[in-house]
Amino acid sequence: MIMIRRGDGQLRMRDHPDTSDGLGFDSRSSPGLCSSEVEAQLEVITPGLTASVPWLMAGQDTRPVPDAPAGQCASSRSAREMTRGQDVGLAVACAEEALEEAPCRHDPLCVWRALVTLVSAGELVTVDEQCARLVEDVEPGPFTRAQRRSMMLRARARVARHTGDLPGARRVLGELIESDVTQNVRLLGVSWLVDVLLEEGAIDEAVDLMERSGLETAAQQWLMCRPMLLSARAAVRLATGAADIGFQDFLQAERLFEGQRMSNRAMLLCPTQISLAAKAAHRDEFAARIAGQVLLRARGWGEPRVLGMALGTLATVEDGPDACAQLTEAAELLEVGGARSELITVNQELARRLAARDDVAGARWRIGQAMGIAKEIGAHGRVRDLRAEFGGLTESVQLTRQESRVASLARGGHSNEQIAGKLALSLRGVEFHLSNVYRKLGVQGRRGLRDALGEQVAVRRT
């Protein structure tokens, strides 16, 4: 069975021999893997950067063309490696070859495939530099300028989202949704914008967009972008407390994703949220099992952002003795991957666990990191949520000038007697100031002081 698109943009199932190359399309239906002409004639929407079979040859005319060459196009090889999710180095090498060498470098579809692969591999700087070529530096062939511009906007939107530029992602997606695109591409943009709004903490706005856009109804139809629509709807339901229903939506999206023979989690809108939804729905065993499988696949691909998300999710749902160490490693991976939005979530979860251990200084530092990132990327709803959950831990510690001097010397290894001599204080005065510092920072002694003073501490002008 294969899915083919009707004129109304919906999919229907049709019996067909399995001659696919692993990307979900029949290689016999094209006179060459590097040709965009047939795909445009079939009105393929190449949603890309999604779990929606980016390269699906879908349309009403699916008559096979015999003796088609296979495996000759660098962009096709890059896409194949991306969907398999096993060799990121080979996928990137093929994508770079497609961008640099003819005939791929002149073909909009080949450039698009290469960019999608590079997004999934975390090569976001290259994508940002190259995506304008889709409009300015390719041979248009059968693709209209509007179609090529929509590809460019989708690539830019994913770069902005992956790097935590939420205002930028919102702006680009708004432009995409309002432009001359097909129903599938518009709904795809809506699903991505819902995700951005949720990352900003704008839950009410995400709910309103889902209702106004028709996403709720469209998620019930056999559209090519249906896995993404289900994932977006599931994320909204999870954010609004409807964990059981959200989990069912995620499960359905996951089954569609697997049915499209794609193993790479980097292509999903919410690559790890099915485990979190299962945990929220009190299906702990399922949540841990899926989280472990997601982590295994993420390790196989090796892209830091998805790997960090997978490791952080496993630590959250398993809640084992190594959870703090796993979350710390996840934060480091997300830092490397430039995934600022996801870094807020991991720091928030780590702060919860450190606070439960009475490690107030460690929790305060993690919350400070999360707050700083949230403010930087414009996630104002997340800032409000952090303040509501952690209260005083989100505020800067206020030390007097004398407390700051005493703390700095103590952190540097000076004894109380040495501090007293340097600052012309009595020993009792040093002890008094240190006691205040420990209380304000939430630490027990000099060892905790060394960690706590790594955070931003305000000094009162007194």
Side-chain angles (χ1 to χ4, degrees):
M1 300 283 283
I2 61 170
M3 290 185 290
I4 55 179
R5 191 160 73 88
R6 303 197 308 241
D8 59 2
Q10 295 189 352
L11 297 182
R12 67 176 184 273
M13 305 304 293
R14 170 172 169 176
D15 290 323
H16 198 289
D18 184 8
T19 57
S20 70
D21 71 345
L23 299 181
F25 68 82
D26 184 349
S27 62
R28 300 180 310 171
S29 63
S30 170
L33 288 175
C34 213
S35 170
S36 300
E37 184 174 358
V38 172
E39 299 205 33
Q41 289 173 347
L42 294 175
E43 297 181 286
V44 66
I45 61 168
T46 59
L49 310 174
T50 75
S52 313
V53 192
W55 326 121
L56 183 64
M57 295 291 289
Q60 296 185 354
D61 183 2
T62 57
R63 291 171 296 178
V65 178
D67 303 320
Q72 300 302 311
C73 171
S75 75
S76 177
R77 294 198 304 273
S78 74
R80 182 181 295 111
E81 293 303 324
M82 175 188 64
T83 56
R84 288 175 177 169
Q86 296 174 357
D87 192 337
V88 66
L90 179 58
V92 169
C94 291
E96 290 175 343
E97 178 186 342
L99 292 174
E100 294 170 3
E101 299 182 13
C104 281
R105 72 178 310 274
H106 303 298
D107 188 312
L109 184 60
C110 290
V111 172
W112 171 240
R113 284 173 171 157
L115 294 178
V116 172
T117 299
L118 292 173
V119 167
S120 297
E123 299 290 333
L124 304 179
V125 174
T126 301
V127 176
D128 195 47
E129 292 172 348
Q130 295 283 337
C131 64
R133 288 179 50 193
L134 286 164
V135 176
E136 302 167 356
D137 188 29
V138 292
E139 297 174 2
F143 284 94
T144 66
R145 183 177 180 84
Q147 288 172 323
R148 290 181 283 117
R149 184 170 174 273
S150 103
M151 293 178 185
M152 179 189 72
L153 291 174
R154 280 176 273 168
R156 283 184 170 163
R158 295 321 286 164
V159 170
R161 170 64 181 86
H162 285 1
T163 57
D165 179 11
L166 301 183
R170 185 196 275 241
R171 183 180 62 256
V172 174
L173 288 170
E175 191 177 347
L176 174 66
I177 292 166
E178 295 300 322
S179 62
D180 181 19
V181 293
T182 65
Q183 177 197 25
N184 282 280
V185 174
R186 185 184 70 82
L187 286 169
L188 181 72
V190 168
S191 71
W192 289 356
L193 184 52
V194 166
D195 169 62
V196 170
L197 293 172
L198 291 176
E199 284 299 312
E200 289 180 348
I203 297 174
D204 291 342
E205 195 172 346
V207 171
D208 181 62
L209 175 62
M210 187 174 74
E211 293 174 350
R212 286 188 294 104
S213 65
L215 185 150
E216 179 97 34
T217 302
Q220 307 299 328
Q221 303 171 5
W222 277 100
L223 298 169
M224 291 181 70
C225 57
R226 191 182 183 208
M228 299 306 290
L229 305 184
L230 286 167
S231 292
R233 189 174 72 176
V236 169
R237 287 174 167 173
L238 183 60
T240 54
D244 286 306
I245 305 174
F247 170 68
Q248 292 302 324
D249 272 351
F250 274 127
L251 196 60
Q252 192 173 5
E254 186 83 7
R255 287 168 178 161
L256 289 171
F257 180 75
E258 294 291 346
Q260 294 169 353
R261 303 179 184 178
M262 296 190 185
S263 300
N264 193 346
R265 309 298 304 183
M267 298 176 66
L268 277 171
L269 177 65
C270 307
T272 61
Q273 280 202 333
I274 185 172
S275 298
L276 298 175
K279 181 74 172 179
H282 308 292
R283 301 171 190 242
D284 294 359
E285 185 178 343
F286 180 89
R289 184 172 74 253
I290 293 298
Q293 292 173 1
V294 169
L295 179 59
L296 186 63
R297 290 184 179 183
R299 290 193 190 282
W301 181 239
E303 195 272 308
R305 172 179 170 271
V306 174
L307 184 53
M309 292 172 68
L311 185 58
T313 300
L314 180 66
T316 300
V317 301
E318 277 195 337
D319 196 19
D322 298 327
C324 284
Q326 290 172 324
L327 287 165
T328 301
E329 184 182 351
E332 292 169 354
L333 287 164
L334 293 171
E335 186 77 41
V336 170
R340 293 181 293 172
S341 182
E342 289 75 17
L343 198 50
I344 297 173
T345 302
V346 167
N347 276 316
Q348 183 177 7
E349 183 63 29
L350 191 48
R352 291 186 186 114
R353 293 168 189 277
L354 292 172
R357 292 181 175 185
D358 293 326
D359 183 355
V360 177
R364 187 188 296 276
W365 189 84
R366 288 293 173 181
I367 287 302
Q369 293 292 299
M371 288 282 289
I373 297 169
K375 292 175 181 177
E376 181 183 329
I377 68 176
H380 305 299
R382 302 288 295 276
V383 172
R384 290 193 298 271
D385 292 344
L386 289 166
R387 284 177 174 156
E389 180 176 358
F390 293 97
L393 289 179
T394 63
E395 305 300 328
S396 297
V397 177
Q398 297 283 333
L399 299 182
T400 66
R401 286 189 179 277
Q402 195 71 294
E403 287 169 351
S404 180
R405 294 189 187 104
V406 170
S408 179
L409 289 170
R411 182 176 183 269
H414 291 78
S415 67
N416 287 3
E417 290 80 3
Q418 290 171 325
I419 295 171
K422 283 182 175 291
L423 299 181
L425 295 172
S426 67
L427 190 58
R428 184 180 293 275
V430 171
E431 292 170 350
F432 173 77
H433 287 308
L434 274 179
S435 177
N436 284 340
V437 170
Y438 293 157
R439 175 180 53 80
K440 289 180 179 181
L441 295 178
V443 299
Q444 299 299 318
R446 277 172 161 78
R447 178 175 297 180
L449 191 63
R450 284 193 290 272
D451 295 332
L453 289 180
E455 59 184 296
Q456 192 171 12
V457 177
V459 179
R460 292 211 316 265
R461 297 182 178 277
T462 58

